[in-house]
Amino acid sequence: MCGIVGYIGSRNAYPILLKGLKRLEYRGYDSSGVALLNEKINVYKKQGKVVDLEDYATGLDISGSIGIGHTRWATHGGPSDLNAHPHASMNGIFTIIHNGIIENYTYLRDSLEEHGYKCKSETDTEVLANLIEYIYISQKVSAEIAVRLALSKVVGAYGLVILCSEENDKIIAARKSSPLVIGLGENEYFLASDATPIIEYTDRVIYLNNDDVAIIKRDELILKNIKNDILEPNVQTLNLGITEIEKNGYEHFMLKEIFEQPRSIRDTFRGRLSFDTNEIKLGGLFPVHEKLVNAKRILIVACGTSWHAGLVGEYLFEDLARIQVEVDYASEFRYRNPLISKEDIVIAISQSGETADTLAAIHLAREAGATVLGICNVVGSTISRETDAGVYTHAGPEIGVASTKAFTAQVTVLTMMAMMIAKEKGLITDERFSGLLNELDEIPSKIEQILSQNDKMIEIAETIKDTNNALYLGRGVSYPVALEGALKLKEISYIHAEGYPAAEMKHGPIALIDKNMPVVVIATKDSSYDKIVSNIQEVKARDGIVIAIVNEGDDTITKMADHVIEIPPTDPVLMSLTSTVPLQLIAYHIAVMRECDVDQPRNLAKSVTVE
């Protein structure tokens, strides 16, 4: 989603803001802008990339040691210079940047028009700037009070950073359902929507909670809530290095993150697999351990790639732990009046820990009395703070919009959870558990073997890069992998692709198969292998192009398929961790060949923090 960066201190703010905006480009955006406070507030904003803003500001007054910057992803009003942030109030007293949506902005705008306020843009943000100014002038209060009074009238979500031209020694920040973090320096403070623009300057941060308002001067930070109660800031230390958010020689972040998966999976299970005692230790689940082991039903809520990880989790929990599982899109779960009991376990999965629909699903589950667990990648994120317990994935920062290493890290966590519960319930022998433990430990090295075949993926990508459609098929736990493979192709190459359970091919999709249709089949050895062979024969009988993911040494499908990718054999329970990697690489190389913007696909945002 939109990105926020801010600075107050003794340095020139503009270079910090510009670098921060470039760090935030991965979130997806269509315009950017900065506001610099010196003797007056100078606002520069431009539709397009940050580099377009940089070119536009060349030769202009970019002085000032207080400033705010923003990358916008259009919601109210299309992409344009006028709709880009920052937005100034009608009389120029307040300048603000805003992530989120003001749901009652139409009512507020109409009310302000009765008092002579007119908006230049189509945005809800400008309405909020005018509301703050109107209260500031009409009630003759301080900027801080005007902000708090205005926010008490707002319905919606906001991460908000504000400058006041008449109180030019401070920045005011506020948060509700849209992330905001403050970095602490020596007589200087940094603000951002996530930690990536901050880590270059400080590792000490404060994550704002819902209804928090921060009044920030160069040498002072006061934290309150919207009701004016003074709060004690909770300062945390970032475990994040600058090299983790740089490409380090790779052409794209996505390729870097695909190749990081052996490390990210290893980091996710590091310290959690105990070979001496033959067990798995997930300390984050300790507060709810007994409830989880004795659960009769698990509900998994997620969006996008995380939803696909949840589907893998469904197979794992039902197969190993014998617990009934339902997997819901969080966006559907929150609106369909779901049946939730106090005995249910709800698992929310999100890479960022800030996904708006997933957070809303968490709130619904908590209101119903369910125990809510989180699986996320970002320490200090909202999901990690609003769930009863959870597990961090330790995948490290994921900058590419199309998720790769986050998916395999999430599946790794779900695998460990399912194995742990199965052992606790006595549903798995010590020998079988030990075997899975060792197999899981070997997954990173097996993925390294797959990555060594990158040239093979390039060859396959070259043969199908000009297609308009593609079909992905899998059975059992490979079905979610097929869905994820199709999603990757859609996201970054803009080729229409669909994932299906292989047995469903005959119930419609087979009508699409001809000599121009690539069909990607996950055909690794498991109990449904013979059925997959039959599905491939059906595709070949209709002249379809078959790309098969098979185990090393497969001599049956190899004779049938047009292209074969061999991956090391592993236990079927863990096969989704390896079989997804070739699909990521093929999608990546096709997108590069089609000259698509791999890391920032059109219309997509990394973290969807509004509905």
Side-chain angles (χ1 to χ4, degrees):
M1 273 307 301
C2 308
I4 282 175
V5 61
Y7 175 76
I8 180 170
S10 59
R11 312 188 206 193
N12 188 2
Y14 179 72
I16 295 171
L17 300 180
L18 198 67
K19 184 177 287 187
L21 293 178
K22 290 178 179 179
R23 297 271 191 226
L24 291 168
E25 286 187 301
Y26 78 97
R27 294 169 68 94
Y29 70 108
D30 50 58
S31 58
S32 61
V34 297
L36 299 160
L37 176 56
N38 201 345
E39 293 180 358
K40 62 176 182 176
I41 299 176
N42 290 316
V43 175
Y44 309 121
K45 52 186 183 176
K46 200 72 178 169
Q47 181 181 350
K49 298 295 186 181
V50 174
V51 68
D52 298 312
L53 170 67
E54 188 175 12
D55 291 342
Y56 173 69
T58 300
L60 301 176
D61 181 4
I62 54 173
S63 61
S65 57
I66 302 177
I68 56 178
H70 191 267
T71 53
R72 177 179 187 254
W73 193 69
T75 51
H76 294 87
S80 69
D81 292 352
L82 190 61
N83 287 333
H85 294 213
H87 285 283
S89 57
M90 190 174 73
N91 297 300
I93 298 175
F94 289 90
T95 302
I96 74 175
I97 53 177
H98 165 228
N99 287 358
I101 289 180
I102 308 302
E103 295 176 10
N104 62 335
Y105 87 104
T106 303
Y107 166 77
L108 295 173
R109 183 192 60 200
D110 294 345
S111 298
L112 287 165
E113 285 179 352
E114 295 177 5
H115 297 284
Y117 276 84
K118 299 291 184 182
C119 288
K120 298 177 181 178
S121 74
E122 303 169 83
T123 68
D124 54 340
T125 301
E126 188 182 2
V127 174
L128 180 54
N130 283 334
L131 176 61
I132 295 169
E133 182 182 271
Y134 170 69
I135 293 173
Y136 178 80
I137 294 174
S138 64
Q139 299 193 27
K140 298 179 179 179
V141 295
S142 68
E144 173 208 329
I145 294 174
V147 169
R148 288 193 288 103
L149 290 175
L151 294 180
S152 69
K153 301 178 183 298
V154 163
V155 177
Y158 52 80
L160 191 63
V161 185
I162 306 158
L163 300 179
C164 177
S165 63
E166 296 185 354
E167 299 182 22
N168 60 9
D169 64 339
K170 64 173 68 74
I171 290 177
I172 299 172
R175 189 256 197 207
K176 183 176 183 180
S177 300
S178 189
L180 207 55
V181 58
I182 301 172
L184 284 62
E186 291 295 328
N187 294 320
E188 61 181 356
Y189 292 91
F190 306 84
L191 299 97
S193 44
D194 67 48
T196 53
I198 288 177
I199 59 172
E200 187 170 345
Y201 309 102
T202 181
D203 62 356
R204 299 173 63 240
V205 298
I206 298 167
Y207 292 97
L208 296 190
N209 294 310
N210 278 345
D211 296 324
D212 280 0
V213 179
I215 304 93
I216 309 167
K217 297 184 179 181
R218 290 177 175 85
D219 58 354
E220 181 184 40
L221 184 149
I222 299 172
L223 188 63
K224 298 183 177 182
N225 62 23
I226 201 171
K227 297 178 181 178
N228 201 33
D229 300 319
I230 298 291
L231 304 173
E232 185 67 29
N234 177 24
V235 180
Q236 301 185 39
T237 301
L238 289 173
N239 183 22
L240 184 63
I242 191 71
T243 58
E244 294 185 77
I245 59 170
E246 295 180 338
K247 291 180 184 175
N248 298 333
Y250 287 92
E251 185 178 356
H252 296 96
F253 281 110
M254 182 180 178
L255 185 62
K256 172 178 177 265
E257 288 153 7
I258 291 171
F259 273 81
E260 284 178 338
Q261 286 176 112
R263 180 198 58 78
S264 60
I265 291 172
R266 192 174 284 114
D267 286 349
T268 295
F269 65 58
R270 189 191 308 277
R272 291 166 167 171
L273 308 185
S274 176
F275 296 96
D276 292 339
T277 59
N278 200 34
E279 62 182 336
I280 289 173
K281 300 176 181 179
L282 299 174
L285 299 179
F286 179 76
V288 299
H289 183 83
E290 188 174 342
K291 280 186 178 180
L292 181 60
V293 170
N294 294 315
K296 296 292 187 291
R297 186 172 76 141
I298 292 174
L299 305 174
I300 298 177
V301 291
C303 300
T305 286
S306 296
W307 183 75
H308 296 155
L311 288 177
V312 175
E314 178 180 16
Y315 283 95
L316 297 174
F317 283 122
E318 292 191 345
D319 180 26
L320 296 175
R322 307 305 295 155
I323 300 175
Q324 177 188 349
V325 178
E326 295 178 19
V327 184
D328 257 309
Y329 286 113
S331 55
E332 292 295 315
F333 182 82
R334 63 180 296 193
Y335 287 120
R336 68 171 178 81
N337 194 23
L339 293 173
I340 311 169
S341 77
K342 294 180 180 179
E343 289 72 39
D344 288 336
I345 300 289
V346 176
I347 300 176
I349 309 175
S350 167
Q351 188 282 138
S352 67
E354 303 292 351
T355 310
D357 286 320
T358 306
L359 283 166
I362 286 172
H363 298 155
L364 181 64
R366 289 181 70 91
E367 288 170 5
T371 299
V372 183
L373 312 182
I375 296 176
C376 67
N377 189 36
V378 181
V379 176
S381 61
T382 304
I383 284 179
S384 70
R385 287 180 283 134
E386 295 193 1
T387 47
D388 297 303
V391 183
Y392 285 117
T393 55
H394 300 310
E398 188 177 64
I399 306 299
V401 167
S403 185
T404 52
K405 65 176 181 175
F407 173 76
T408 50
Q410 289 165 351
V411 171
T412 300
V413 168
L414 291 163
T415 302
M416 290 190 293
M417 290 176 66
M419 288 172 60
M420 181 188 74
I421 296 169
K423 189 169 191 297
E424 290 274 334
K425 294 173 72 171
L427 297 173
I428 187 171
T429 65
D430 287 345
E431 183 180 8
R432 167 78 167 133
F433 185 87
S434 178
L436 280 177
L437 211 60
N438 283 287
E439 284 283 327
L440 182 56
D441 188 50
E442 291 176 7
I443 288 295
S445 63
K446 292 182 178 181
I447 291 179
E448 287 171 352
Q449 294 178 49
I450 296 168
L451 294 171
S452 70
Q453 301 180 59
N454 189 38
D455 288 347
K456 176 74 171 178
M457 315 307 172
I458 294 174
E459 291 175 15
I460 293 172
E462 182 67 43
T463 65
I464 60 173
K465 65 181 174 61
D466 296 320
T467 190
N468 294 316
N469 302 282
L471 192 63
Y472 287 67
L473 302 177
R475 283 179 178 260
V477 77
S478 293
Y479 163 52
V481 175
L483 289 172
E484 177 61 11
L487 178 60
K488 290 286 95 59
L489 191 67
K490 282 184 280 193
E491 284 180 311
I492 61 172
S493 74
Y494 317 141
I495 294 172
H496 174 253
E498 296 295 334
Y500 271 89
E504 288 297 302
M505 180 180 64
K506 289 179 284 190
H507 295 274
I510 198 168
L512 300 172
I513 296 175
D514 60 19
K515 64 182 180 180
N516 298 312
M517 173 67 85
V519 181
V520 181
V521 186
I522 297 94
T524 51
K525 285 284 182 73
D526 60 18
S527 60
S528 61
Y529 177 79
D530 291 339
K531 300 292 185 182
I532 282 286
V533 170
S534 297
N535 294 139
I536 292 173
Q537 289 170 331
E538 290 164 347
V539 173
K540 291 304 297 177
R542 290 156 181 84
D543 296 324
I545 305 165
V546 174
I547 301 160
I549 311 294
V550 302
N551 287 133
E552 292 172 348
D554 187 299
D555 58 1
T556 301
I557 294 176
T558 301
K559 297 173 183 176
M560 301 163 51
D562 298 274
H563 306 281
V564 170
I565 300 164
E566 292 189 340
I567 64 175
T570 190
D571 192 288
V573 166
L574 305 174
M575 193 62 75
S576 60
L577 289 168
T578 52
S579 60
T580 194
V581 177
L583 307 185
Q584 296 170 347
L585 283 169
I586 290 170
Y588 168 79
H589 290 301
I590 289 174
V592 170
M593 292 170 187
R594 291 167 66 96
E595 299 183 347
C596 299
D597 192 341
V598 173
D599 286 334
Q600 299 171 41
R602 67 188 183 201
N603 304 328
L604 293 179
K606 182 63 179 173
S607 177
V608 183
T609 56
V610 297
E611 293 184 51

